PDB file of all heavy atoms in Angstrom:
ATOM      1  N   ARG A  10      -3.259  16.459  -8.125  1.00 90.00           N
ATOM      2  CA  ARG A  10      -2.621  15.147  -8.274  1.00 90.00           C
ATOM      3  C   ARG A  10      -3.649  14.027  -8.202  1.00 90.00           C
ATOM      4  O   ARG A  10      -3.637  13.095  -9.008  1.00 90.00           O
ATOM      5  CB  ARG A  10      -1.559  14.973  -7.189  1.00 90.00           C
ATOM      6  CG  ARG A  10      -0.748  13.690  -7.289  1.00 90.00           C
ATOM      7  CD  ARG A  10       0.142  13.513  -6.073  1.00 90.00           C
ATOM      8  NE  ARG A  10      -0.638  13.364  -4.865  1.00 90.00           N
ATOM      9  CZ  ARG A  10      -1.231  12.229  -4.487  1.00 90.00           C
ATOM     10  NH1 ARG A  10      -1.129  11.142  -5.241  1.00 90.00           N
ATOM     11  NH2 ARG A  10      -1.924  12.172  -3.363  1.00 90.00           N
ATOM     12  N   ASN A  11      -4.551  14.130  -7.229  1.00 89.00           N
ATOM     13  CA  ASN A  11      -5.584  13.113  -7.065  1.00 89.00           C
ATOM     14  C   ASN A  11      -6.533  13.100  -8.263  1.00 89.00           C
ATOM     15  O   ASN A  11      -6.951  12.043  -8.745  1.00 89.00           O
ATOM     16  CB  ASN A  11      -6.371  13.370  -5.779  1.00 89.00           C
ATOM     17  CG  ASN A  11      -7.108  12.142  -5.296  1.00 89.00           C
ATOM     18  OD1 ASN A  11      -6.543  11.063  -5.184  1.00 89.00           O
ATOM     19  ND2 ASN A  11      -8.390  12.285  -5.030  1.00 89.00           N
ATOM     20  N   SER A  12      -6.866  14.299  -8.757  1.00 92.00           N
ATOM     21  CA  SER A  12      -7.735  14.418  -9.933  1.00 92.00           C
ATOM     22  C   SER A  12      -7.083  13.772 -11.151  1.00 92.00           C
ATOM     23  O   SER A  12      -7.731  13.041 -11.911  1.00 92.00           O
ATOM     24  CB  SER A  12      -8.021  15.896 -10.238  1.00 92.00           C
ATOM     25  OG  SER A  12      -8.645  16.530  -9.156  1.00 92.00           O
ATOM     26  N   GLN A  13      -5.804  14.034 -11.323  1.00 90.00           N
ATOM     27  CA  GLN A  13      -5.070  13.491 -12.467  1.00 90.00           C
ATOM     28  C   GLN A  13      -5.087  11.965 -12.456  1.00 90.00           C
ATOM     29  O   GLN A  13      -5.336  11.311 -13.484  1.00 90.00           O
ATOM     30  CB  GLN A  13      -3.626  14.000 -12.437  1.00 90.00           C
ATOM     31  CG  GLN A  13      -2.822  13.620 -13.690  1.00 90.00           C
ATOM     32  CD  GLN A  13      -1.365  13.995 -13.542  1.00 90.00           C
ATOM     33  OE1 GLN A  13      -0.725  13.642 -12.551  1.00 90.00           O
ATOM     34  NE2 GLN A  13      -0.833  14.716 -14.508  1.00 90.00           N
ATOM     35  N   MET A  14      -4.851  11.367 -11.274  1.00 87.00           N
ATOM     36  CA  MET A  14      -4.858   9.905 -11.166  1.00 87.00           C
ATOM     37  C   MET A  14      -6.244   9.332 -11.430  1.00 87.00           C
ATOM     38  O   MET A  14      -6.385   8.310 -12.105  1.00 87.00           O
ATOM     39  CB  MET A  14      -4.372   9.488  -9.779  1.00 87.00           C
ATOM     40  CG  MET A  14      -2.884   9.654  -9.577  1.00 87.00           C
ATOM     41  SD  MET A  14      -2.268   8.725  -8.148  1.00 87.00           S
ATOM     42  CE  MET A  14      -3.246   9.439  -6.847  1.00 87.00           C
ATOM     43  N   MET A  15      -7.282  10.010 -10.907  1.00 89.00           N
ATOM     44  CA  MET A  15      -8.641   9.511 -11.105  1.00 89.00           C
ATOM     45  C   MET A  15      -9.063   9.588 -12.567  1.00 89.00           C
ATOM     46  O   MET A  15      -9.752   8.700 -13.081  1.00 89.00           O
ATOM     47  CB  MET A  15      -9.614  10.317 -10.233  1.00 89.00           C
ATOM     48  CG  MET A  15      -9.473  10.048  -8.747  1.00 89.00           C
ATOM     49  SD  MET A  15     -10.721  10.900  -7.762  1.00 89.00           S
ATOM     50  CE  MET A  15     -12.183   9.925  -8.172  1.00 89.00           C
ATOM     51  N   ILE A  16      -8.653  10.638 -13.270  1.00 90.00           N
ATOM     52  CA  ILE A  16      -8.966  10.767 -14.701  1.00 90.00           C
ATOM     53  C   ILE A  16      -8.317   9.625 -15.481  1.00 90.00           C
ATOM     54  O   ILE A  16      -8.914   9.037 -16.375  1.00 90.00           O
ATOM     55  CB  ILE A  16      -8.492  12.130 -15.233  1.00 90.00           C
ATOM     56  CG1 ILE A  16      -9.353  13.253 -14.647  1.00 90.00           C
ATOM     57  CG2 ILE A  16      -8.555  12.177 -16.764  1.00 90.00           C
ATOM     58  CD1 ILE A  16      -8.796  14.643 -14.881  1.00 90.00           C
ATOM     59  N   GLN A  17      -7.074   9.286 -15.095  1.00 86.00           N
ATOM     60  CA  GLN A  17      -6.332   8.251 -15.813  1.00 86.00           C
ATOM     61  C   GLN A  17      -6.777   6.828 -15.465  1.00 86.00           C
ATOM     62  O   GLN A  17      -6.840   5.972 -16.340  1.00 86.00           O
ATOM     63  CB  GLN A  17      -4.831   8.392 -15.515  1.00 86.00           C
ATOM     64  CG  GLN A  17      -4.178   9.596 -16.160  1.00 86.00           C
ATOM     65  CD  GLN A  17      -2.705   9.673 -15.801  1.00 86.00           C
ATOM     66  OE1 GLN A  17      -2.344  10.016 -14.683  1.00 86.00           O
ATOM     67  NE2 GLN A  17      -1.851   9.330 -16.738  1.00 86.00           N
ATOM     68  N   PHE A  18      -7.076   6.592 -14.181  1.00 82.00           N
ATOM     69  CA  PHE A  18      -7.238   5.212 -13.732  1.00 82.00           C
ATOM     70  C   PHE A  18      -8.617   4.857 -13.182  1.00 82.00           C
ATOM     71  O   PHE A  18      -8.796   3.768 -12.651  1.00 82.00           O
ATOM     72  CB  PHE A  18      -6.173   4.895 -12.667  1.00 82.00           C
ATOM     73  CG  PHE A  18      -4.773   5.154 -13.144  1.00 82.00           C
ATOM     74  CD1 PHE A  18      -4.018   6.172 -12.586  1.00 82.00           C
ATOM     75  CD2 PHE A  18      -4.212   4.398 -14.163  1.00 82.00           C
ATOM     76  CE1 PHE A  18      -2.720   6.429 -13.019  1.00 82.00           C
ATOM     77  CE2 PHE A  18      -2.928   4.641 -14.611  1.00 82.00           C
ATOM     78  CZ  PHE A  18      -2.171   5.659 -14.042  1.00 82.00           C
ATOM     79  N   SER A  19      -9.585   5.772 -13.274  1.00 85.00           N
ATOM     80  CA  SER A  19     -10.933   5.444 -12.802  1.00 85.00           C
ATOM     81  C   SER A  19     -11.953   5.714 -13.905  1.00 85.00           C
ATOM     82  O   SER A  19     -11.648   6.369 -14.904  1.00 85.00           O
ATOM     83  CB  SER A  19     -11.298   6.264 -11.556  1.00 85.00           C
ATOM     84  OG  SER A  19     -11.704   7.563 -11.895  1.00 85.00           O
ATOM     85  N   ASP A  20     -13.156   5.200 -13.698  1.00 85.00           N
ATOM     86  CA  ASP A  20     -14.238   5.421 -14.663  1.00 85.00           C
ATOM     87  C   ASP A  20     -15.184   6.539 -14.225  1.00 85.00           C
ATOM     88  O   ASP A  20     -16.236   6.741 -14.823  1.00 85.00           O
ATOM     89  CB  ASP A  20     -15.045   4.125 -14.852  1.00 85.00           C
ATOM     90  CG  ASP A  20     -14.201   3.040 -15.514  1.00 85.00           C
ATOM     91  OD1 ASP A  20     -13.378   3.385 -16.376  1.00 85.00           O
ATOM     92  OD2 ASP A  20     -14.364   1.859 -15.149  1.00 85.00           O
ATOM     93  N   GLU A  21     -14.816   7.249 -13.156  1.00 89.00           N
ATOM     94  CA  GLU A  21     -15.641   8.374 -12.697  1.00 89.00           C
ATOM     95  C   GLU A  21     -15.707   9.452 -13.772  1.00 89.00           C
ATOM     96  O   GLU A  21     -14.735   9.690 -14.488  1.00 89.00           O
ATOM     97  CB  GLU A  21     -15.043   8.984 -11.417  1.00 89.00           C
ATOM     98  CG  GLU A  21     -15.090   8.097 -10.195  1.00 89.00           C
ATOM     99  CD  GLU A  21     -16.458   8.109  -9.528  1.00 89.00           C
ATOM    100  OE1 GLU A  21     -17.327   8.894  -9.950  1.00 89.00           O
ATOM    101  OE2 GLU A  21     -16.647   7.312  -8.584  1.00 89.00           O
ATOM    102  N   SER A  22     -16.867  10.108 -13.878  1.00 94.00           N
ATOM    103  CA  SER A  22     -16.986  11.214 -14.819  1.00 94.00           C
ATOM    104  C   SER A  22     -16.123  12.378 -14.344  1.00 94.00           C
ATOM    105  O   SER A  22     -15.822  12.500 -13.151  1.00 94.00           O
ATOM    106  CB  SER A  22     -18.440  11.675 -14.923  1.00 94.00           C
ATOM    107  OG  SER A  22     -18.862  12.274 -13.716  1.00 94.00           O
ATOM    108  N   ILE A  23     -15.743  13.244 -15.268  1.00 94.00           N
ATOM    109  CA  ILE A  23     -14.910  14.399 -14.909  1.00 94.00           C
ATOM    110  C   ILE A  23     -15.656  15.312 -13.937  1.00 94.00           C
ATOM    111  O   ILE A  23     -15.070  15.892 -13.021  1.00 94.00           O
ATOM    112  CB  ILE A  23     -14.468  15.155 -16.180  1.00 94.00           C
ATOM    113  CG1 ILE A  23     -13.473  14.278 -16.961  1.00 94.00           C
ATOM    114  CG2 ILE A  23     -13.819  16.495 -15.832  1.00 94.00           C
ATOM    115  CD1 ILE A  23     -13.027  14.850 -18.274  1.00 94.00           C
ATOM    116  N   LYS A  24     -16.972  15.389 -14.090  1.00 94.00           N
ATOM    117  CA  LYS A  24     -17.773  16.201 -13.170  1.00 94.00           C
ATOM    118  C   LYS A  24     -17.682  15.636 -11.747  1.00 94.00           C
ATOM    119  O   LYS A  24     -17.521  16.388 -10.777  1.00 94.00           O
ATOM    120  CB  LYS A  24     -19.235  16.233 -13.637  1.00 94.00           C
ATOM    121  CG  LYS A  24     -20.126  17.129 -12.806  1.00 94.00           C
ATOM    122  CD  LYS A  24     -21.540  17.166 -13.359  1.00 94.00           C
ATOM    123  CE  LYS A  24     -22.434  18.081 -12.523  1.00 94.00           C
ATOM    124  NZ  LYS A  24     -23.824  18.124 -13.038  1.00 94.00           N
ATOM    125  N   SER A  25     -17.773  14.318 -11.624  1.00 94.00           N
ATOM    126  CA  SER A  25     -17.666  13.668 -10.304  1.00 94.00           C
ATOM    127  C   SER A  25     -16.286  13.865  -9.703  1.00 94.00           C
ATOM    128  O   SER A  25     -16.141  14.130  -8.506  1.00 94.00           O
ATOM    129  CB  SER A  25     -17.923  12.168 -10.416  1.00 94.00           C
ATOM    130  OG  SER A  25     -19.288  11.893 -10.393  1.00 94.00           O
ATOM    131  N   ILE A  26     -15.265  13.733 -10.547  1.00 94.00           N
ATOM    132  CA  ILE A  26     -13.881  13.893 -10.085  1.00 94.00           C
ATOM    133  C   ILE A  26     -13.666  15.311  -9.557  1.00 94.00           C
ATOM    134  O   ILE A  26     -13.015  15.512  -8.528  1.00 94.00           O
ATOM    135  CB  ILE A  26     -12.887  13.564 -11.223  1.00 94.00           C
ATOM    136  CG1 ILE A  26     -12.940  12.063 -11.538  1.00 94.00           C
ATOM    137  CG2 ILE A  26     -11.469  13.982 -10.856  1.00 94.00           C
ATOM    138  CD1 ILE A  26     -12.177  11.651 -12.770  1.00 94.00           C
ATOM    139  N   ALA A  27     -14.225  16.289 -10.254  1.00 94.00           N
ATOM    140  CA  ALA A  27     -14.117  17.684  -9.813  1.00 94.00           C
ATOM    141  C   ALA A  27     -14.736  17.843  -8.429  1.00 94.00           C
ATOM    142  O   ALA A  27     -14.144  18.444  -7.523  1.00 94.00           O
ATOM    143  CB  ALA A  27     -14.797  18.609 -10.812  1.00 94.00           C
ATOM    144  N   HIS A  28     -15.926  17.267  -8.231  1.00 94.00           N
ATOM    145  CA  HIS A  28     -16.635  17.386  -6.948  1.00 94.00           C
ATOM    146  C   HIS A  28     -15.899  16.657  -5.832  1.00 94.00           C
ATOM    147  O   HIS A  28     -15.753  17.189  -4.722  1.00 94.00           O
ATOM    148  CB  HIS A  28     -18.048  16.811  -7.103  1.00 94.00           C
ATOM    149  CG  HIS A  28     -18.844  16.847  -5.830  1.00 94.00           C
ATOM    150  ND1 HIS A  28     -19.274  18.021  -5.259  1.00 94.00           N
ATOM    151  CD2 HIS A  28     -19.256  15.842  -5.021  1.00 94.00           C
ATOM    152  CE1 HIS A  28     -19.927  17.734  -4.136  1.00 94.00           C
ATOM    153  NE2 HIS A  28     -19.931  16.426  -3.979  1.00 94.00           N
ATOM    154  N   ILE A  29     -15.399  15.450  -6.121  1.00 91.00           N
ATOM    155  CA  ILE A  29     -14.684  14.644  -5.124  1.00 91.00           C
ATOM    156  C   ILE A  29     -13.448  15.374  -4.609  1.00 91.00           C
ATOM    157  O   ILE A  29     -13.071  15.228  -3.444  1.00 91.00           O
ATOM    158  CB  ILE A  29     -14.299  13.278  -5.725  1.00 91.00           C
ATOM    159  CG1 ILE A  29     -15.557  12.406  -5.894  1.00 91.00           C
ATOM    160  CG2 ILE A  29     -13.248  12.552  -4.883  1.00 91.00           C
ATOM    161  CD1 ILE A  29     -15.345  11.173  -6.731  1.00 91.00           C
ATOM    162  N   ASN A  30     -12.843  16.190  -5.472  1.00 92.00           N
ATOM    163  CA  ASN A  30     -11.601  16.869  -5.104  1.00 92.00           C
ATOM    164  C   ASN A  30     -11.795  18.331  -4.724  1.00 92.00           C
ATOM    165  O   ASN A  30     -10.850  19.115  -4.725  1.00 92.00           O
ATOM    166  CB  ASN A  30     -10.585  16.734  -6.240  1.00 92.00           C
ATOM    167  CG  ASN A  30     -10.056  15.318  -6.351  1.00 92.00           C
ATOM    168  OD1 ASN A  30      -9.236  14.880  -5.556  1.00 92.00           O
ATOM    169  ND2 ASN A  30     -10.557  14.573  -7.329  1.00 92.00           N
ATOM    170  N   GLY A  31     -13.038  18.678  -4.369  1.00 92.00           N
ATOM    171  CA  GLY A  31     -13.280  19.971  -3.752  1.00 92.00           C
ATOM    172  C   GLY A  31     -13.506  21.143  -4.679  1.00 92.00           C
ATOM    173  O   GLY A  31     -13.474  22.295  -4.231  1.00 92.00           O
ATOM    174  N   PHE A  32     -13.739  20.888  -5.969  1.00 93.00           N
ATOM    175  CA  PHE A  32     -14.011  21.979  -6.899  1.00 93.00           C
ATOM    176  C   PHE A  32     -15.523  22.164  -7.038  1.00 93.00           C
ATOM    177  O   PHE A  32     -16.263  21.192  -7.185  1.00 93.00           O
ATOM    178  CB  PHE A  32     -13.385  21.696  -8.264  1.00 93.00           C
ATOM    179  CG  PHE A  32     -11.873  21.705  -8.246  1.00 93.00           C
ATOM    180  CD1 PHE A  32     -11.162  20.534  -8.033  1.00 93.00           C
ATOM    181  CD2 PHE A  32     -11.169  22.884  -8.428  1.00 93.00           C
ATOM    182  CE1 PHE A  32      -9.776  20.534  -7.996  1.00 93.00           C
ATOM    183  CE2 PHE A  32      -9.782  22.903  -8.402  1.00 93.00           C
ATOM    184  CZ  PHE A  32      -9.086  21.717  -8.181  1.00 93.00           C
ATOM    185  N   LYS A  33     -15.967  23.407  -6.984  1.00 89.00           N
ATOM    186  CA  LYS A  33     -17.401  23.700  -6.953  1.00 89.00           C
ATOM    187  C   LYS A  33     -18.084  23.451  -8.303  1.00 89.00           C
ATOM    188  O   LYS A  33     -19.248  23.093  -8.364  1.00 89.00           O
ATOM    189  CB  LYS A  33     -17.631  25.161  -6.538  1.00 89.00           C
ATOM    190  CG  LYS A  33     -17.122  25.486  -5.147  1.00 89.00           C
ATOM    191  CD  LYS A  33     -17.853  24.686  -4.086  1.00 89.00           C
ATOM    192  CE  LYS A  33     -17.405  25.055  -2.690  1.00 89.00           C
ATOM    193  NZ  LYS A  33     -17.994  24.205  -1.656  1.00 89.00           N
TER     194      LYS A  33
END
């Protein structure tokens, strides 16, 4: 859920979003 919101509403790269949400 958090990843989905960040992809839609932030400028973070998908790689950063993955790391922020605990994916290796």
